[in-house]
Coordinates of all heavy atoms in Angstrom, one line a residue:
P290 N 83.5 108.1 86.8 CA 84.5 107.9 87.8 C 84.9 106.4 87.9 O 84.2 105.5 87.5 CB 83.9 108.3 89.2 CG 82.4 108.2 88.9 CD 82.2 108.4 87.5
V291 N 86.1 106.1 88.4 CA 86.6 104.7 88.5 C 86.9 104.4 90.0 O 87.6 105.2 90.6 CB 87.9 104.5 87.6 CG1 88.5 103.1 87.8 CG2 87.6 104.8 86.2
I292 N 86.3 103.4 90.5 CA 86.5 102.9 91.8 C 87.5 101.7 91.7 O 87.3 100.8 91.0 CB 85.2 102.5 92.5 CG1 84.3 103.7 92.6 CG2 85.5 101.9 93.9 CD1 82.9 103.4 93.2
G293 N 88.5 101.7 92.6 CA 89.5 100.6 92.6 C 90.0 100.3 94.0 O 89.9 101.1 94.9
T294 N 90.6 99.2 94.1 CA 91.2 98.8 95.4 C 92.6 98.1 95.0 O 92.8 97.6 94.0 CB 90.3 97.8 96.1 OG1 90.9 97.5 97.4 CG2 90.1 96.5 95.3
E295 N 93.5 98.2 96.0 CA 94.8 97.6 95.8 C 95.2 97.0 97.1 O 95.1 97.6 98.2 CB 95.8 98.8 95.4 CG 97.2 98.3 95.1 CD 98.1 99.4 94.6 OE1 97.8 100.0 93.6 OE2 99.0 99.7 95.4
V296 N 95.8 95.8 97.0 CA 96.2 95.0 98.2 C 97.7 94.8 98.0 O 98.2 94.3 97.0 CB 95.5 93.7 98.3 CG1 96.0 92.9 99.5 CG2 94.0 93.9 98.4
E297 N 98.5 95.1 99.1 CA 100.0 95.0 99.0 C 100.5 94.2 100.3 O 99.8 94.2 101.3 CB 100.6 96.4 99.0 CG 100.2 97.2 97.8 CD 100.8 98.6 97.8 OE1 102.1 98.7 97.9 OE2 100.1 99.6 97.9
N298 N 101.7 93.7 100.1 CA 102.5 93.2 101.3 C 101.8 92.0 102.0 O 101.6 92.0 103.2 CB 102.8 94.3 102.3 CG 103.6 95.4 101.7 OD1 104.3 95.2 100.7 ND2 103.5 96.6 102.2
F299 N 101.4 91.0 101.2 CA 100.9 89.8 101.9 C 101.5 88.6 101.2 O 101.9 88.6 100.0 CB 99.4 89.8 101.8 CG 98.8 89.6 100.4 CD1 98.3 88.4 100.0 CD2 98.7 90.7 99.6 CE1 97.8 88.2 98.8 CE2 98.2 90.6 98.3 CZ 97.7 89.3 97.9
L300 N 101.4 87.5 101.9 CA 102.0 86.2 101.4 C 103.5 86.3 101.1 O 103.9 85.8 100.2 CB 101.2 85.7 100.3 CG 99.7 85.4 100.5 CD1 99.0 84.9 99.2 CD2 99.5 84.4 101.7
G301 N 104.1 87.1 101.9 CA 105.6 87.3 101.7 C 106.4 86.4 102.6 O 105.9 85.4 103.1
T302 N 107.6 86.9 103.0 CA 108.4 86.2 103.9 C 108.8 87.1 105.0 O 108.7 88.3 104.9 CB 109.7 85.7 103.2 OG1 110.4 86.8 102.6 CG2 109.3 84.7 102.0
G303 N 109.4 86.5 106.1 CA 109.8 87.3 107.2 C 108.7 88.0 107.8 O 107.6 87.5 108.1
P304 N 108.9 89.3 108.1 CA 107.8 90.1 108.7 C 106.6 90.2 107.8 O 105.5 90.7 108.3 CB 108.4 91.5 108.9 CG 109.8 91.4 108.4 CD 110.1 90.1 107.8
L305 N 106.7 89.8 106.6 CA 105.5 90.0 105.6 C 104.8 88.6 105.4 O 104.1 88.5 104.5 CB 106.0 90.6 104.3 CG 106.7 91.9 104.3 CD1 107.1 92.4 103.0 CD2 105.7 93.0 105.0
R306 N 105.1 87.7 106.4 CA 104.4 86.4 106.2 C 102.9 86.6 106.4 O 102.5 87.4 107.3 CB 104.9 85.4 107.3 CG 106.3 84.9 107.0 CD 106.6 83.6 107.9 NE 106.2 83.8 109.3 CZ 107.0 84.3 110.2 NH1 108.3 84.7 109.9 NH2 106.6 84.4 111.4
G307 N 102.1 85.8 105.6 CA 100.7 85.8 105.8 C 100.2 87.2 105.4 O 100.5 87.7 104.4
V308 N 99.5 87.8 106.4 CA 98.9 89.1 106.2 C 99.4 90.1 107.3 O 98.7 91.1 107.5 CB 97.3 89.0 106.2 CG1 96.8 88.2 105.0 CG2 96.8 88.4 107.5
Q309 N 100.5 89.7 107.8 CA 101.0 90.6 108.9 C 101.4 92.0 108.4 O 101.1 93.0 109.1 CB 102.2 90.0 109.6 CG 101.9 88.7 110.3 CD 103.1 88.1 111.0 OE1 104.2 88.7 111.0 NE2 103.0 86.9 111.6
G310 N 101.8 92.1 107.1 CA 102.2 93.4 106.6 C 101.2 93.9 105.6 O 101.5 94.8 104.7
L311 N 100.0 93.4 105.7 CA 99.0 93.7 104.6 C 98.7 95.2 104.6 O 98.5 95.9 105.7 CB 97.7 93.0 104.9 CG 96.5 93.2 104.0 CD1 96.9 92.6 102.6 CD2 95.3 92.6 104.5
E312 N 98.6 95.8 103.4 CA 98.1 97.1 103.2 C 97.1 97.1 102.1 O 97.2 96.5 101.0 CB 99.3 98.0 102.7 CG 100.4 98.3 103.7 CD 101.5 99.2 103.2 OE1 101.2 99.8 102.2 OE2 102.6 99.3 103.8
V313 N 96.0 97.8 102.5 CA 94.8 97.8 101.5 C 94.5 99.2 101.2 O 94.3 100.0 102.2 CB 93.6 97.1 102.1 CG1 92.4 97.2 101.2 CG2 93.9 95.6 102.5
T314 N 94.4 99.5 99.9 CA 94.0 100.9 99.5 C 92.7 100.8 98.7 O 92.6 100.0 97.8 CB 95.2 101.5 98.6 OG1 96.4 101.5 99.3 CG2 94.8 102.9 98.2
L315 N 91.8 101.7 99.1 CA 90.5 101.8 98.4 C 90.3 103.3 98.0 O 90.4 104.2 98.9 CB 89.4 101.3 99.3 CG 88.0 101.4 98.7 CD1 87.8 100.5 97.5 CD2 86.9 101.1 99.8
G316 N 90.1 103.5 96.7 CA 89.9 104.9 96.3 C 89.0 105.0 95.0 O 88.6 104.0 94.5
V317 N 88.9 106.3 94.6 CA 88.1 106.6 93.4 C 88.9 107.6 92.6 O 89.5 108.5 93.2 CB 86.7 107.2 93.8 CG1 86.8 108.4 94.7 CG2 85.9 107.4 92.5
S318 N 88.8 107.5 91.3 CA 89.6 108.4 90.5 C 88.6 109.0 89.5 O 87.5 108.4 89.1 CB 90.7 107.8 89.7 OG 90.2 106.7 88.9
Q319 N 88.8 110.2 89.0 CA 88.0 110.9 88.1 C 88.8 111.7 87.1 O 89.7 112.4 87.4 CB 87.0 111.9 88.8 CG 86.1 112.7 87.9 CD 85.1 111.9 87.2 OE1 84.3 111.2 87.8 NE2 85.1 112.0 85.8
V320 N 88.5 111.5 85.8 CA 89.1 112.3 84.7 C 88.4 113.6 84.6 O 87.2 113.7 84.4 CB 89.1 111.5 83.4 CG1 89.7 112.4 82.3 CG2 90.0 110.2 83.5
I321 N 89.2 114.7 84.6 CA 88.7 116.0 84.4 C 89.1 116.5 83.0 O 90.2 116.7 82.7 CB 89.2 117.0 85.5 CG1 89.0 116.5 86.9 CG2 88.6 118.4 85.3 CD1 87.5 116.3 87.2

């Protein structure tokens, strides 16, 4: 299995300045 994480919407502009719009995804995938 593969464990991964993804971080989105940070260090942007406007409402996405800094980490105000931060989205973090943590998951696991498996090939069948």
Side-chain angles (χ1 to χ4, degrees):
V291 177
I292 298 176
T294 184
E295 184 176 294
V296 179
E297 301 178 55
N298 301 334
F299 69 100
L300 301 180
T302 61
L305 301 179
R306 289 195 312 270
V308 293
Q309 294 180 6
L311 180 67
E312 295 182 11
V313 179
T314 303
L315 179 65
V317 60
S318 63
Q319 174 69 54
V320 174
I321 306 299

